[in-house]
Amino acid sequence: MFGLTKSTVEKVLLYIICTIVIIVVIFPLYWLIITSLKYDIDSYVYPPQFFPVNITFKNYIDILFLAQEGNLVKYFLNSLIITISTIFLSLLFGSMAAYSLSKHYLSIMFRRMMLALVLVIRIFPPITTAIPYYIILSKFRLVDTHIGLIISYVSFSLPFTIWLMIGFFQSLPAEIEKAATIDGCNFWQRFIKIVIPLSLPGLAVTAIFGFLYSWNEFMLASILTSENAKTLPVVIAGFISDKYLFWGKMTALGVLMTIPVIIFSSFAQRNIVKGLTFGAVKE
Amino acid sequence: MKQSRKERTIVILTITPSVVAVGVFVYGFIAWSIRVSLSDWIGIRPDYTFAGLKNFISLFKSVRFLIDIYNNIFFTILFLAICVGGGLFLAILLDQFIKGEGIFRTVYLFPLAISPVVSAVVWKWIFSPKVGVNVLLTNLLSKIGIERTVEFGWYTSTASFGPFNIALIPIIIAASWGFVGYVMAMYLAALRGIPAELKEAARVDGASEFKIYMKVILPLLKPITLSALIILGHISLKMFDLVYVMTGRGPGFVTDFPSIFMYETTFAANKFSQGAAISLVMLLMVAVVIIPYLTMSLRRET
């Protein structure tokens, strides 16, 4: 079954296996969607309804307009503001630093050291910084504010931004910059007018990673926010209580949260592995 | 290219914000955590009285932490085994150049992008003792005439094989669901990088397709396997979101992890010094796994 030329039987077999795997992979997502379209009571029935009988948009209307937990539009905006700010700041500072680190402006020893310090952050459990974050943000009254969470997210998204952008900058042909220097362009002119426009695809991919990170992050958000700056993952987790599980609301919010994720990650599909291996695999 | 002093200043300026952010908020904060872990801080008010290794000693004497370590180790082993085995299987499957491969690949990668909190919610339903798989099983068994006498508790089950809590199984499945596609993509990229002549040569020598995979291709994938093990290893040692939302610590800590212990100790019980100690043990555990990965990546870069 491994050859280049395959018999029909082998082909059919391959498709059957691939399709079974697809069903297994998709089922949880399918279940997410149909549960969000059911009344909570129907999530408990026996046998489970694989095709919803009474379709309702009640859960969506509830979480968007009527929720007792407060208007979820606010939390949606929180997630959006925090995510966009994180992406913007990490790209701004990260690409600047990456540009300086990718070219021969600094000694090789220094660059190596910087790269090592940046790379090693990826492995730190963010929880190790949770207590100091909590202390310092309380001190400056920044707990439960957008700024507080943005600072913590930027510090963890800068490393992968720098790492990815160095790769993109290094792949640019050196001649272009040399020509620009001869034409009298200074550092900023080269960076802004030549390097950045050529690296837009790289910036886009890095932005998608920043999006996936800060949109989905839960731990720091649950520690550093309580009400005003609460993000969507924290809201979803909040629907779980000892007494009752709001399946409908949880899954409806889960669907709304997942739609942008699916859209953006399909754009970055080819690069997603590269970004996550973080330099461990040469492609 | 000779650079002016002005240019050098600009270069330093460009890296300053990142150096400060990373230096203060990551490295500085880890140092701060160390300080807290060596203190006597219990309660809301900061107390940096030096207490030596007291917190670490009491941690290793605590039953809960021992269970956590066991849970995390068993979880890691099984999670890695499923992801690497499943990922390799899927990669070889998709390497057969079938039509529609792009669609399969895209869909297999979907779970990677989905928030652990969202997937925790769905898997919580699937393995809930009251609904989900349990109801299905009961239904299926009663159809063929068997009445269930044993109730499966899934992630609430307190049964165990030695120190392995079977309640971990649903979490391992949920976590693997998220990462199998990722390992597959790593392997697939490597498989596509193997020159076709290599396979051709082996084929000419009369090797069967199965043998080509076993003797030629798999050995070439070893570095990928190592990367995958290390990357997934540190992910699983840091695991928090998925477990916290899906099951929490569970009855008798059957699904407890060091990260959950840390979270509850610090932010529910206000034992800051204890919490810091747990987070540092986690950092050490990750460091042990990651050192080979770091040296490897750095040798490749620059």
Side-chain angles (χ1 to χ4, degrees), chain B residues 83-102:
Chain B
C83 285
V84 169
L88 184 61
F89 173 76
L90 291 181
I92 293 176
L93 204 62
L94 288 191
D95 195 35
Q96 306 304 310
F97 295 97
I98 53 172
K99 261 190 203 138
E101 177 220 311

Side-chain angles (χ1 to χ4, degrees), chain B residues 6-43:
Chain B
K6 194 179 154 210
E7 196 140 275
R8 209 180 159 74
T9 321
I10 294 174
V11 168
I12 301 286
L13 277 178
T14 57
I15 61 171
T16 308
S18 302
V19 171
V20 171
V22 160
V24 173
F25 294 115
V26 181
Y27 288 95
F29 278 11
I30 286 172
W32 196 342
S33 274
I34 295 175
R35 189 170 158 221
V36 174
S37 75
L38 298 174
S39 77
D40 230 343
W41 181 350
I42 291 172

Side-chain angles (χ1 to χ4, degrees), chain B residues 124 126-131 134 137 148 150-159 166-168 170 247 251 254-255:
Chain B
K124 192 181 177 68
I126 293 177
F127 286 114
S128 164
K130 289 192 200 112
V131 285
N134 250 3
L137 273 180
R148 281 269 297 283
V150 190
E151 276 295 317
F152 288 122
W154 299 101
Y155 51 71
T156 58
S157 163
T158 46
I166 63 165
L168 289 173
T247 65
V254 282
T255 56

Side-chain angles (χ1 to χ4, degrees), chain A residues 200-215:
Chain A
L200 286 181
L203 285 168
V205 168
T206 313
I208 291 169
F209 278 105
F211 169 80
L212 291 180
Y213 165 71
S214 43
W215 187 259

Side-chain angles (χ1 to χ4, degrees), chain A residues 35-38 40 57-63 248-249 252:
Chain A
T35 308
S36 76
L37 297 171
K38 286 178 187 172
D40 269 0
F57 289 97
K58 179 182 164 295
N59 297 312
Y60 289 91
I61 295 165
D62 270 6
I63 59 167
K249 285 181 186 171

Side-chain angles (χ1 to χ4, degrees), chain A residues 8 20 24 42 52 54 67 81 130 151 153-154 156 169 207 212 238 267 280:
Chain A
T8 321
I20 292 172
V24 174
D42 286 343
N54 304 310
I81 293 168
I151 293 173
Y153 283 3
V154 170
F156 281 102
F169 291 150
L212 291 180
F267 286 133

